[in-house]
Amino acid sequence: MKEFCVRGHTLAETRKTYPSGFTVCYKCQSIRHYEWVQRHRDRVRAYQRYFYSPKQQRAYRLKVKYGLTAQNYDALLESQEGRCAICGTKDFSRSGVNTHAYVDHDHETGEVRGLLCFACNTGLGAFSDSPEIMLEAIAYLGQAERH
């Protein structure tokens, strides 16, 4: 078996053997990749512009995190008449953070419950999505009003 690759790298340190028996030198593979990228800059940039565009990133994030397509998201927003599912506001950026609706989902099952504004989404998170804790908070607010 060879001890050095074509470029003179020590194969004992840089070799990877695939199940098919094909052997590759990591250093040479890295050099070939770099050279290919340099020769095909326009193709690489076109790929990056498409796949790293905000629209594609949003679609990818919705699909991976929640199993939603952009069309499902838009349909859900339309079914809520463009409003937060809790407070009913159309201003999803009540805190000034973002202008999009946040996907509310059950953290145990992953099931999507609806779309919320930033304030309602963080409020649910602060109460750990627990109806019991929320009811205690309501009771607390009721006590505070009586005093």
PDB file of all heavy atoms in Angstrom, residues 31-44:
ATOM      1  N   ILE A  31      -7.836  20.667  -0.673  1.00  0.00           N
ATOM      2  CA  ILE A  31      -7.219  21.499  -1.713  1.00  0.00           C
ATOM      3  C   ILE A  31      -8.059  21.468  -2.989  1.00  0.00           C
ATOM      4  O   ILE A  31      -8.324  22.495  -3.604  1.00  0.00           O
ATOM      5  CB  ILE A  31      -5.771  21.036  -1.991  1.00  0.00           C
ATOM      6  CG1 ILE A  31      -4.893  21.346  -0.781  1.00  0.00           C
ATOM      7  CG2 ILE A  31      -5.216  21.680  -3.254  1.00  0.00           C
ATOM      8  CD1 ILE A  31      -3.532  20.657  -0.809  1.00  0.00           C
ATOM      9  N   ARG A  32      -8.518  20.252  -3.379  1.00  0.00           N
ATOM     10  CA  ARG A  32      -9.350  20.131  -4.581  1.00  0.00           C
ATOM     11  C   ARG A  32     -10.647  20.914  -4.434  1.00  0.00           C
ATOM     12  O   ARG A  32     -11.099  21.568  -5.357  1.00  0.00           O
ATOM     13  CB  ARG A  32      -9.657  18.669  -4.878  1.00  0.00           C
ATOM     14  CG  ARG A  32      -8.539  17.954  -5.603  1.00  0.00           C
ATOM     15  CD  ARG A  32      -8.968  16.617  -6.154  1.00  0.00           C
ATOM     16  NE  ARG A  32      -9.480  15.695  -5.149  1.00  0.00           N
ATOM     17  CZ  ARG A  32      -8.724  14.880  -4.416  1.00  0.00           C
ATOM     18  NH1 ARG A  32      -7.419  14.857  -4.579  1.00  0.00           N
ATOM     19  NH2 ARG A  32      -9.272  14.074  -3.529  1.00  0.00           N
ATOM     20  N   HIS A  33     -11.253  20.855  -3.254  1.00  0.00           N
ATOM     21  CA  HIS A  33     -12.495  21.590  -3.017  1.00  0.00           C
ATOM     22  C   HIS A  33     -12.255  23.091  -3.148  1.00  0.00           C
ATOM     23  O   HIS A  33     -13.013  23.798  -3.812  1.00  0.00           O
ATOM     24  CB  HIS A  33     -13.065  21.270  -1.639  1.00  0.00           C
ATOM     25  CG  HIS A  33     -14.258  22.102  -1.289  1.00  0.00           C
ATOM     26  ND1 HIS A  33     -15.481  21.915  -1.873  1.00  0.00           N
ATOM     27  CD2 HIS A  33     -14.406  23.143  -0.437  1.00  0.00           C
ATOM     28  CE1 HIS A  33     -16.344  22.794  -1.395  1.00  0.00           C
ATOM     29  NE2 HIS A  33     -15.700  23.552  -0.524  1.00  0.00           N
ATOM     30  N   TYR A  34     -11.202  23.592  -2.520  1.00  0.00           N
ATOM     31  CA  TYR A  34     -10.869  25.009  -2.594  1.00  0.00           C
ATOM     32  C   TYR A  34     -10.648  25.436  -4.045  1.00  0.00           C
ATOM     33  O   TYR A  34     -11.160  26.466  -4.481  1.00  0.00           O
ATOM     34  CB  TYR A  34      -9.631  25.312  -1.751  1.00  0.00           C
ATOM     35  CG  TYR A  34      -9.193  26.741  -1.843  1.00  0.00           C
ATOM     36  CD1 TYR A  34      -9.839  27.726  -1.122  1.00  0.00           C
ATOM     37  CD2 TYR A  34      -8.128  27.107  -2.672  1.00  0.00           C
ATOM     38  CE1 TYR A  34      -9.446  29.053  -1.217  1.00  0.00           C
ATOM     39  CE2 TYR A  34      -7.731  28.423  -2.771  1.00  0.00           C
ATOM     40  CZ  TYR A  34      -8.401  29.402  -2.047  1.00  0.00           C
ATOM     41  OH  TYR A  34      -8.019  30.712  -2.144  1.00  0.00           O
ATOM     42  N   GLU A  35      -9.896  24.638  -4.799  1.00  0.00           N
ATOM     43  CA  GLU A  35      -9.634  24.963  -6.204  1.00  0.00           C
ATOM     44  C   GLU A  35     -10.921  24.958  -7.026  1.00  0.00           C
ATOM     45  O   GLU A  35     -11.122  25.802  -7.890  1.00  0.00           O
ATOM     46  CB  GLU A  35      -8.618  23.978  -6.788  1.00  0.00           C
ATOM     47  CG  GLU A  35      -7.226  24.170  -6.226  1.00  0.00           C
ATOM     48  CD  GLU A  35      -6.257  23.069  -6.623  1.00  0.00           C
ATOM     49  OE1 GLU A  35      -6.710  22.027  -7.177  1.00  0.00           O
ATOM     50  OE2 GLU A  35      -5.046  23.237  -6.382  1.00  0.00           O
ATOM     51  N   TRP A  36     -11.824  23.990  -6.753  1.00  0.00           N
ATOM     52  CA  TRP A  36     -13.089  23.921  -7.484  1.00  0.00           C
ATOM     53  C   TRP A  36     -13.923  25.172  -7.205  1.00  0.00           C
ATOM     54  O   TRP A  36     -14.483  25.774  -8.119  1.00  0.00           O
ATOM     55  CB  TRP A  36     -13.875  22.668  -7.071  1.00  0.00           C
ATOM     56  CG  TRP A  36     -15.125  22.493  -7.872  1.00  0.00           C
ATOM     57  CD1 TRP A  36     -15.260  21.790  -9.019  1.00  0.00           C
ATOM     58  CD2 TRP A  36     -16.418  23.045  -7.593  1.00  0.00           C
ATOM     59  NE1 TRP A  36     -16.553  21.869  -9.483  1.00  0.00           N
ATOM     60  CE2 TRP A  36     -17.285  22.644  -8.613  1.00  0.00           C
ATOM     61  CE3 TRP A  36     -16.926  23.845  -6.578  1.00  0.00           C
ATOM     62  CZ2 TRP A  36     -18.621  23.005  -8.665  1.00  0.00           C
ATOM     63  CZ3 TRP A  36     -18.256  24.215  -6.625  1.00  0.00           C
ATOM     64  CH2 TRP A  36     -19.087  23.798  -7.658  1.00  0.00           C
ATOM     65  N   VAL A  37     -13.969  25.586  -5.932  1.00  0.00           N
ATOM     66  CA  VAL A  37     -14.736  26.779  -5.565  1.00  0.00           C
ATOM     67  C   VAL A  37     -14.167  28.009  -6.265  1.00  0.00           C
ATOM     68  O   VAL A  37     -14.917  28.855  -6.756  1.00  0.00           O
ATOM     69  CB  VAL A  37     -14.758  26.963  -4.033  1.00  0.00           C
ATOM     70  CG1 VAL A  37     -15.271  28.338  -3.635  1.00  0.00           C
ATOM     71  CG2 VAL A  37     -15.589  25.876  -3.384  1.00  0.00           C
ATOM     72  N   GLN A  38     -12.838  28.107  -6.344  1.00  0.00           N
ATOM     73  CA  GLN A  38     -12.215  29.250  -7.007  1.00  0.00           C
ATOM     74  C   GLN A  38     -12.551  29.271  -8.504  1.00  0.00           C
ATOM     75  O   GLN A  38     -12.801  30.335  -9.072  1.00  0.00           O
ATOM     76  CB  GLN A  38     -10.691  29.216  -6.814  1.00  0.00           C
ATOM     77  CG  GLN A  38     -10.251  29.395  -5.385  1.00  0.00           C
ATOM     78  CD  GLN A  38     -10.807  30.653  -4.757  1.00  0.00           C
ATOM     79  OE1 GLN A  38     -10.721  31.743  -5.316  1.00  0.00           O
ATOM     80  NE2 GLN A  38     -11.417  30.506  -3.596  1.00  0.00           N
ATOM     81  N   ARG A  39     -12.584  28.089  -9.136  1.00  0.00           N
ATOM     82  CA  ARG A  39     -12.899  28.021 -10.570  1.00  0.00           C
ATOM     83  C   ARG A  39     -14.373  28.285 -10.862  1.00  0.00           C
ATOM     84  O   ARG A  39     -14.725  28.725 -11.948  1.00  0.00           O
ATOM     85  CB  ARG A  39     -12.532  26.638 -11.122  1.00  0.00           C
ATOM     86  CG  ARG A  39     -11.063  26.406 -11.344  1.00  0.00           C
ATOM     87  CD  ARG A  39     -10.794  25.147 -12.158  1.00  0.00           C
ATOM     88  NE  ARG A  39     -11.549  23.993 -11.719  1.00  0.00           N
ATOM     89  CZ  ARG A  39     -11.144  23.093 -10.810  1.00  0.00           C
ATOM     90  NH1 ARG A  39      -9.973  23.257 -10.207  1.00  0.00           N
ATOM     91  NH2 ARG A  39     -11.890  22.067 -10.483  1.00  0.00           N
ATOM     92  N   HIS A  40     -15.254  27.988  -9.906  1.00  0.00           N
ATOM     93  CA  HIS A  40     -16.699  28.084 -10.131  1.00  0.00           C
ATOM     94  C   HIS A  40     -17.352  29.100  -9.200  1.00  0.00           C
ATOM     95  O   HIS A  40     -18.441  28.881  -8.686  1.00  0.00           O
ATOM     96  CB  HIS A  40     -17.348  26.703  -9.937  1.00  0.00           C
ATOM     97  CG  HIS A  40     -16.822  25.676 -10.860  1.00  0.00           C
ATOM     98  ND1 HIS A  40     -15.792  24.829 -10.513  1.00  0.00           N
ATOM     99  CD2 HIS A  40     -17.160  25.358 -12.132  1.00  0.00           C
ATOM    100  CE1 HIS A  40     -15.524  24.027 -11.521  1.00  0.00           C
ATOM    101  NE2 HIS A  40     -16.336  24.330 -12.520  1.00  0.00           N
ATOM    102  N   ARG A  41     -16.703  30.238  -9.024  1.00  0.00           N
ATOM    103  CA  ARG A  41     -17.198  31.262  -8.099  1.00  0.00           C
ATOM    104  C   ARG A  41     -18.622  31.712  -8.402  1.00  0.00           C
ATOM    105  O   ARG A  41     -19.416  31.904  -7.496  1.00  0.00           O
ATOM    106  CB  ARG A  41     -16.293  32.482  -8.152  1.00  0.00           C
ATOM    107  CG  ARG A  41     -15.396  32.559  -6.985  1.00  0.00           C
ATOM    108  CD  ARG A  41     -14.553  33.788  -7.094  1.00  0.00           C
ATOM    109  NE  ARG A  41     -13.265  33.415  -6.565  1.00  0.00           N
ATOM    110  CZ  ARG A  41     -12.496  34.206  -5.893  1.00  0.00           C
ATOM    111  NH1 ARG A  41     -12.827  35.444  -5.705  1.00  0.00           N
ATOM    112  NH2 ARG A  41     -11.365  33.781  -5.415  1.00  0.00           N
ATOM    113  N   ASP A  42     -18.943  31.879  -9.671  1.00  0.00           N
ATOM    114  CA  ASP A  42     -20.282  32.345 -10.037  1.00  0.00           C
ATOM    115  C   ASP A  42     -21.352  31.335  -9.627  1.00  0.00           C
ATOM    116  O   ASP A  42     -22.403  31.714  -9.111  1.00  0.00           O
ATOM    117  CB  ASP A  42     -20.369  32.628 -11.535  1.00  0.00           C
ATOM    118  CG  ASP A  42     -19.494  33.799 -11.951  1.00  0.00           C
ATOM    119  OD1 ASP A  42     -19.144  34.614 -11.070  1.00  0.00           O
ATOM    120  OD2 ASP A  42     -19.165  33.891 -13.145  1.00  0.00           O
ATOM    121  N   ARG A  43     -21.077  30.049  -9.846  1.00  0.00           N
ATOM    122  CA  ARG A  43     -22.034  29.003  -9.449  1.00  0.00           C
ATOM    123  C   ARG A  43     -22.207  28.968  -7.943  1.00  0.00           C
ATOM    124  O   ARG A  43     -23.327  28.847  -7.426  1.00  0.00           O
ATOM    125  CB  ARG A  43     -21.566  27.632  -9.922  1.00  0.00           C
ATOM    126  CG  ARG A  43     -21.873  27.353 -11.369  1.00  0.00           C
ATOM    127  CD  ARG A  43     -21.288  26.058 -11.848  1.00  0.00           C
ATOM    128  NE  ARG A  43     -21.827  24.887 -11.187  1.00  0.00           N
ATOM    129  CZ  ARG A  43     -21.418  23.643 -11.436  1.00  0.00           C
ATOM    130  NH1 ARG A  43     -20.471  23.428 -12.336  1.00  0.00           N
ATOM    131  NH2 ARG A  43     -21.948  22.630 -10.822  1.00  0.00           N
ATOM    132  N   VAL A  44     -21.095  29.098  -7.220  1.00  0.00           N
ATOM    133  CA  VAL A  44     -21.137  29.060  -5.753  1.00  0.00           C
ATOM    134  C   VAL A  44     -21.927  30.257  -5.227  1.00  0.00           C
ATOM    135  O   VAL A  44     -22.785  30.114  -4.360  1.00  0.00           O
ATOM    136  CB  VAL A  44     -19.714  29.034  -5.158  1.00  0.00           C
ATOM    137  CG1 VAL A  44     -19.729  29.228  -3.658  1.00  0.00           C
ATOM    138  CG2 VAL A  44     -19.023  27.737  -5.531  1.00  0.00           C
TER     139      VAL A  44
END
